[in-house]
Amino acid sequence: MTQYPTYRTPVMAQNMVATSQPLAAQAGLRMLAEGGNAVDAALAAAICLTVVEPTGNGLGSDAFAILWDGAKLHGLNASGRSPAAWTPAQFDGGVPERGWHSVTTPGAVSAWTTLWRAHGSLPFTRLFEPAIRYARGGFAVSPAIAALWSKGAATLKDQPGFADCFMPGGRAPKAGETFRNPDLASTLEAIAESEGSAFYTGPLTARIAAAARENGAALSEEDLAAHRADWCGTLKMPFRGRALHEIPPNGQGIAALIALGLVDRTDVADFGPDDPKALHLQIEATKLALADTMAHIGDAGAMDFGPEALLKDAYLDDRAAMIDAASAGDPGAGAPTAGGTVYVTAADAGGRMVSFIQSNYMGFGAGVVVPGTGIHMQNRGAGFVPDAGHPNRVGPSKRPFQTIIPGFVMQGCAPEMSFGVMGGPMQAQGHLQMMLRTMLWGQDPQAASDAPRWQVVTGRTVAVENAMPEATVEALRAMGHDVVREGTAAEFGFGGAQLIWRQGNSYIAGSDHRKDGCAVGY
């Protein structure tokens, strides 16, 4: 049972869905109840989230997934690439955070079609029914999303198409008010009926490209038609009889693997899950992992070495030796060679488990909406850097560094846990915290989610939630950490966790109280 302040307890069932918005969770559960599998459930929930949680995702999103199909683990990278016409010279000062010039090719729709064709069981159109109903008929906006909606509207109201789509009556909808998006309903119908082709090589393609041209942006019909989702496998880090799996770069999942490998080389297991000394060791491991990730990770084709170099025992041994068990550090990157998000997890009685994440990056992404379609676009181009020689330097037809990462735990050849922690730079840090709380200290998914979180910000600065006890904060400060309470220091907040842990022939799930969502099952 949970031991932190919360009103939630774990959910236990043989078929399960957990996500950040209740209507989306129910959409996934409906697919399971109608005879669909975990893939059908995850996709229906993800499609529904584009309607009911537009602050974090939409049809202009990117996506990643890790899937246990009952016999084998798969990794899918459905993130899009930059327009072919982009050049470093165009973005000498960096890619802007908002507007059409931050938009790269969206990949979420390709994730839906690729996963469904390979592993779905229900008709593709069935997966869209709840989303279309809520888009056309309306839904009551939930509280946490309403707060983010208001914040996003204040920043983005002047972006092309934003106010027309997301500010009916000239303002963001309040919690409990009904919001309708009939243009999005028609777009979802076109995608469903065409099995995705309307988005990448059809009438929606032309409308997206036309809107880009009208705003002086480079995204073209050719960029959309060239997009493909890739089956990419996973990278893994062994941990005390289990293994954490993450998607390979261009994402930051490798940071979670590095941090886990480093903290496993400390005496973290000698302490309890909330002991300041245990938190300190995790924080120090995370600093090293993030430094390496920021320095070396980008589009896999542009990296100077394979990501496995960062996970080798000898390299991790050297980096772990830099952790001072009693004092906060401010490390730089090593040299391993000579040279708004939503998350869904679903599981079924047949043993399939899905870890799925899709995102527009910052709240409402670029803030731009394609007229008459309800499609709002991500701003993943802002993830590039302008630095010459960096693997993540902005350029043509490149995948930018991605913050969104699905997580998955295996025990030997068997699946154990599907989980994620949405929230920008919090995600890899959240994966480490969830992994240790469940797999080292044996906390159930809800307790692990409810526990107060920390987030490395920069240098020795660490943000902690207000629920963190003052005695813990003072102990961290005594070790040299510059600790700040939650607020602007943690720009993306402390994330939203969703976890499903396999227990024999059933599952136990937790859903973050920081979000509007829930875990549901039968």
Side-chain angles (χ1 to χ4, degrees), residues 132 135-136 181-193 204 372-373:
I132 292 168
R136 181 161 287 128
N181 196 338
D183 288 341
L184 181 58
S186 298
T187 294
L188 287 167
E189 286 172 337
I191 293 170
E193 292 164 2
L204 295 173
T373 67

Side-chain angles (χ1 to χ4, degrees), residues 225-251:
H227 173 75
R228 298 290 184 276
D230 298 323
W231 293 106
C232 60
T234 62
L235 296 174
K236 67 179 180 179
M237 177 57 63
F239 182 76
R240 305 183 184 222
R242 280 105 167 182
L244 173 62
H245 288 253
E246 302 277 355
I247 296 291
N250 54 312

Side-chain angles (χ1 to χ4, degrees), residues 156-179:
L156 302 170
K157 61 183 183 294
D158 295 327
Q159 289 291 346
F162 184 89
D164 289 342
C165 184
F166 292 117
M167 298 174 67
R171 63 170 176 82
K174 297 178 181 178
E177 291 184 339
T178 298
F179 177 76

Side-chain angles (χ1 to χ4, degrees), residues 236-239 254-266 284-286 288-290 292-293 307-323 334-337:
K236 67 179 180 179
M237 177 57 63
F239 182 76
I254 195 170
L257 301 181
I258 296 169
L260 183 64
L262 294 175
V263 81
D264 197 26
R265 287 164 166 77
T266 72
E284 293 305 292
T286 296
L288 290 161
L290 292 178
D292 280 353
T293 301
E308 295 82 2
L310 292 161
L311 304 176
K312 288 183 176 179
D313 286 341
Y315 180 68
L316 293 174
D317 290 344
D318 289 344
R319 294 292 272 168
M322 297 176 65
I323 296 175
T337 68

Side-chain angles (χ1 to χ4, degrees), residues 44-418:
I47 294 163
C48 193
L49 283 165
T50 66
V51 178
V52 299
E53 194 168 348
T55 51
N57 78 129
L59 294 180
S61 286
D62 280 339
F64 296 88
I66 300 177
L67 160 70
W68 176 260
D69 67 3
K72 184 178 179 181
L73 196 67
H74 306 270
L76 183 72
N77 182 339
S79 64
R81 293 173 171 80
S82 57
W86 276 16
T87 67
Q90 290 174 262
F91 301 101
D92 191 41
V95 178
E97 288 189 349
R98 304 289 191 173
W100 271 103
H101 292 289
S102 66
V103 176
T104 53
T105 305
V109 172
S110 74
W112 305 344
T113 57
T114 302
L115 286 167
W116 172 74
R117 285 176 181 141
H119 300 285
S121 62
L122 294 176
F124 195 56
T125 53
R126 181 85 58 84
L127 310 182
F128 286 75
E129 289 174 359
I132 292 168
R133 183 173 69 252
Y134 291 130
R136 181 161 287 128
F139 65 95
V141 176
S142 50
I145 292 168
L148 292 172
W149 204 318
S150 178
K151 182 179 179 180
T155 302
L156 302 170
K157 61 183 183 294
D158 295 327
Q159 289 291 346
F162 184 89
D164 289 342
C165 184
F166 292 117
M167 298 174 67
R171 63 170 176 82
K174 297 178 181 178
E177 291 184 339
T178 298
F179 177 76
R180 296 177 178 84
N181 196 338
D183 288 341
L184 181 58
S186 298
T187 294
L188 287 167
E189 286 172 337
I191 293 170
E193 292 164 2
S194 68
E195 296 183 3
S197 64
F199 193 87
Y200 292 107
T201 58
L204 295 173
T205 317
R207 298 182 75 169
I208 294 168
R213 282 193 299 272
E214 288 168 9
N215 290 277
L219 186 69
S220 68
E221 288 95 334
E222 290 76 17
D223 293 319
L224 288 156
H227 173 75
R228 298 290 184 276
D230 298 323
W231 293 106
C232 60
T234 62
L235 296 174
K236 67 179 180 179
M237 177 57 63
F239 182 76
R240 305 183 184 222
R242 280 105 167 182
L244 173 62
H245 288 253
E246 302 277 355
I247 296 291
N250 54 312
Q252 67 165 329
I254 195 170
L257 301 181
I258 296 169
L260 183 64
L262 294 175
V263 81
D264 197 26
R265 287 164 166 77
T266 72
D267 57 358
V268 69
D270 293 346
F271 309 105
D274 300 296
D275 191 304
K277 293 179 181 178
L279 303 186
H280 167 75
L281 293 172
Q282 294 172 68
I283 290 166
E284 293 305 292
T286 296
K287 291 176 185 177
L288 290 161
L290 292 178
D292 280 353
T293 301
M294 291 300 101
H296 300 303
I297 301 302
D299 188 310
M303 290 174 58
D304 295 328
F305 47 81
E308 295 82 2
L310 292 161
L311 304 176
K312 288 183 176 179
D313 286 341
Y315 180 68
L316 293 174
D317 290 344
D318 289 344
R319 294 292 272 168
M322 297 176 65
I323 296 175
D324 187 325
S327 180
D330 185 9
T337 68
T341 304
V342 297
Y343 175 81
V344 180
T345 178
D348 63 37
R352 287 170 288 266
M353 300 179 74
V354 182
S355 183
F356 185 92
I357 195 162
Q358 67 187 18
S359 172
N360 271 6
Y361 192 22
M362 300 174 186
F364 283 109
V368 301
V369 181
V370 179
T373 67
I375 299 170
H376 65 297
M377 306 294 282
Q378 39 89 326
N379 60 331
R380 279 293 166 188
F384 283 117
V385 299
D387 308 338
H390 196 289
N392 190 40
R393 188 187 191 192
V394 62
S397 302
K398 288 182 68 174
R399 281 176 161 147
F401 176 81
Q402 289 265 356
T403 55
I404 60 173
I405 51 174
F408 206 97
V409 180
M410 295 285 291
Q411 184 171 25
C413 296
E416 184 155 6
M417 188 166 76
S418 171

